[in-house]
Structure formats: structure tokens, C-alpha cells
């Protein structure tokens, strides 16, 4: 069975990716020029970016397809006396009534969309932008040194109060389709016994920068700028964010 952000995955994800911070958070906050701006975060997950925005007093709403992640977001926010405006929605079906000054999709989430949903999703995001609004997309681009892992290997294990969760992974790269698929298996161990297993696939589309720029242009997006964020996820890391408008 393939669970999308099930209970075990969400619990482990939250343990290491609870909040955006450092240079990643600074980069996205820099686009909020005044607190009255309206911000949307599609694919907001556990609120790792959304809650830090809320703590800054920024008006932000978000949606995701994982009820488990949304539940965690609400629980974390409640401990901070915050009430997030979040809801279940698919990015390719989004049709909100509000218009936004800024729309952000951080952490490479947009690269999880299959090619068949990219144009529809971009159209929805462009439609949700105000006339002077900006769209920021963290995209996974092609790079050298991709290492495939054909068989399950243990990647991480974390001791929680009532269980140990072990993460195993496999990695496959289809160069012809530019797809990097990471398969993850989470196992809950209680009293030495496996009590639950979740398996997830993360099929990331790796883009050529110029090809993705052309995709944006063909969907009516312009003023395209590619930003590089050094040490954004910690020392030695690097990611790229596409900025554009309609």
C-alpha cells in the first residue's frame, strides 16, 4: 500500500523539518514588503514555512493534500495560540476566490507534480495572483552526481516515546524522462515487533532551467528571475528559486 504522508511519515518528517529557518526563511520573508500583503502557500504540508510567516504577523493561507500534515500544522499552531487558515485542496484543482500579493511553493514541492498537471497548476496560481503579485517556486533542476540505490537501505531511525521509526529508502533515476524517484519505507517498531509499515514514492521531475523558463512563458508568466540560495537548508546546501509574475 502506498500512503501519501501517512502517520509515520508525518511524525518522522516533523521531527527534522518542523520549521523553515535561517537563510531559507530569510529569503522568502524578504519578498513580504509590508505586513498587509496577502500570501498563499500551496502544498503547505506541516506548516514549516506557513507558521513562521504567521509568527511574523503576515496574512497567509495554505492548502495541502495530506490531512495528516494539515493536522500537525493545526496542532503546532495551537500551541503558539495561532489559528492557521489551511484546508485540503489539490494544486491542479485550486480555484479560490481571493487574490494574493505573493504565492510561494518552497522546498521543491512543485517538482513532485507530473507533467500532465504542471500547466493546469501554473494557470491556477497565475489566476490567483494580483496584477502586481509574485510567484516563487523552488524547483529541482538537473545536476551531476545522482546516486541510485537499487535495494532498500536503512537511512534513519528515531526513538520516540512509544516506538522506534526506521526509514529505509531506494533511489532510481530515469535519465530519459528526467525523473528522480525516491521510494521510502517507514516501519514502526514496538517491543521489538513491526507494528506498522508505510511506503511512499517521491517522483521528482528534474528540470533544465531554460526548459522550465519556457514552460512559465507559455503559461503567461513573465519577469522570470532565477535565485540561488547558498546554505539555505544548512551549511553546504544550495537550492534555486524561480521568481515570476503575470
Amino acid at each position: 500500500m502506498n500512503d501519501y504522508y501517512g502517520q509515520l511519515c508525518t511524525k518522522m518528517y516533523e521531527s527534522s523539518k518542523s520549521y523553515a529557518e535561517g537563510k531559507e526563511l530569510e529569503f522568502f520573508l524578504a519578498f513580504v514588503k509590508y505586513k498587509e500583503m496577502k500570501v498563499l502557500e500551496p502544498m503547505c504540508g506541516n506548516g514549516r514555512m506557513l507558521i513562521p510567516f504567521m509568527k511574523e504577523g503576515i496574512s497567509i493561507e495554505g492548502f495541502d493534500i495530506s490531512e495528516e500534515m494539515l493536522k500537525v500544522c493545526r496542532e503546532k499552531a495551537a500551541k503558539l495560540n495561532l489559528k492557521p487558515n489551511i484546508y485540503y485542496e489539490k494544486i491542479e484543482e485550486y480555484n479560490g476566490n481571493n487574490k494574493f500579493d505573493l504565492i510561494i511553493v518552497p522546498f521543491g514541492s512543485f517538482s513532485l507534480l507530473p507533467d500532465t498537471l504542471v500547466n493546469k497548476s501554473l494557470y491556477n496560481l497565475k489566476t490567483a495572483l494580483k496584477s502586481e503579485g509574485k510567484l516563487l517556486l523552488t524547483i529541482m533542476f538537473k545536476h551531476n552526481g545522482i546516486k541510485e540505490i537499487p535495494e532498500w537501505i536503512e537511512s534513519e531511525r528515531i526513538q520516540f516515546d512509544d516506538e522506534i521509526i526506521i526509514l529505509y529508502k531506494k533511489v532510481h533515476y530515469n535519465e530519459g524522462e528526467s525523473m528522480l524517484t525516491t521510494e521510502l519505507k517507514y516501519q514502526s517498531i514496538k517491543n521489538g515487533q513491526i507494528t506498522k509499515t508505510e511506503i511512499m514514492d517521491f517522483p521528482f521531475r528534474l528540470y533544465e532551467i531554460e526548459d522550465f523558463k519556457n514552460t512559465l512563458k507559455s503559461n503567461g508568466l513573465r519577469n522570470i528571475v532565477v535565485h540561488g540560495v547558498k546554505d539555505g537548508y544548512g551549511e553546504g546546501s544550495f537550492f534555486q528559486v524561480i521568481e515570476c509574475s503575470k
Side-chain angles (χ1 to χ4, degrees):
M1 181 177 179
N2 194 340
D3 297 302
Y4 188 80
Y5 284 115
Q7 185 180 33
L8 300 182
C9 171
T10 299
K11 192 171 183 178
M12 205 149 182
Y13 184 95
E14 176 63 20
S15 71
S16 61
K17 302 177 181 68
S18 186
Y19 294 113
E21 57 187 3
K23 293 186 177 180
E24 181 196 15
L25 179 59
E26 291 170 6
F27 173 84
F28 285 97
L29 284 176
F31 285 85
V32 181
K33 303 303 182 184
Y34 51 93
K35 294 292 177 67
E36 294 73 25
M37 287 179 66
K38 301 295 184 183
V39 182
L40 174 68
E41 186 186 359
M43 310 170 89
C44 65
N46 66 341
R48 63 178 296 276
M49 186 68 70
L50 185 139
I51 292 177
F53 266 59
M54 291 184 69
K55 289 171 68 177
E56 293 292 326
I58 298 165
S59 175
I60 182 170
E61 68 180 71
F63 61 83
D64 201 89
I65 63 171
S66 170
E67 294 287 7
E68 284 286 343
M69 285 288 190
L70 293 173
K71 177 184 175 184
V72 168
C73 182
R74 293 187 185 99
E75 291 172 348
K76 289 195 303 185
K79 293 177 182 178
L80 299 170
N81 294 316
L82 298 172
K83 189 173 181 180
N85 180 10
I86 56 174
Y87 44 91
Y88 176 91
E89 184 61 276
K90 297 179 180 178
I91 190 171
E92 68 272 17
E93 296 179 2
Y94 177 75
N95 185 25
N97 296 320
N98 296 326
K99 299 291 184 181
F100 298 90
D101 301 285
L102 179 66
I103 299 177
I104 60 173
V105 186
F107 216 46
S109 298
F110 195 86
S111 287
L112 284 167
L113 292 175
D115 288 349
T116 54
L117 300 182
V118 168
N119 288 340
K120 178 59 176 170
S121 299
L122 287 174
Y123 172 82
N124 293 343
L125 298 184
K126 184 185 74 169
T127 302
L129 280 175
K130 292 183 180 179
S131 59
E132 301 299 320
K134 291 187 176 182
L135 171 63
L136 300 176
L137 301 171
T138 303
I139 300 298
M140 294 185 66
F141 292 108
K142 286 185 178 180
H143 57 278
N144 297 323
I146 295 173
K147 183 180 179 181
E148 292 192 279
I149 303 174
E151 303 296 334
W152 290 116
I153 64 166
E154 182 178 327
S155 176
E156 189 177 4
R157 65 171 60 202
I158 297 179
Q159 174 73 61
F160 294 94
D161 291 339
D162 59 340
E163 65 183 338
I164 298 172
I165 299 180
I166 305 176
L167 170 62
Y168 301 88
K169 72 176 181 179
K170 294 193 290 189
V171 179
H172 173 67
Y173 180 49
N174 184 325
E175 187 173 4
E177 296 183 1
S178 300
M179 292 298 299
L180 179 66
T181 301
T182 300
E183 190 173 1
L184 302 178
K185 177 167 66 175
Y186 299 84
Q187 289 188 333
S188 171
I189 311 294
K190 295 182 179 180
N191 300 319
Q193 301 293 320
I194 298 173
T195 59
K196 187 174 183 179
T197 299
E198 293 175 358
I199 296 177
M200 289 184 55
D201 290 335
F202 283 96
F204 286 102
R205 173 75 152 84
L206 303 186
Y207 291 95
E208 296 279 5
I209 290 180
E210 292 305 317
D211 288 344
F212 192 72
K213 284 182 178 179
N214 289 334
T215 297
L216 294 173
K217 291 174 183 176
S218 68
N219 281 280
L221 291 158
R222 57 189 181 86
N223 301 322
I224 300 168
V225 180
V226 181
H227 300 274
V229 183
K230 186 175 182 292
D231 299 328
Y233 301 139
E235 187 175 353
S237 65
F238 179 81
F239 63 87
Q240 291 174 295
V241 181
I242 297 282
E243 171 194 346
C244 55
S245 58
K246 67 178 183 180

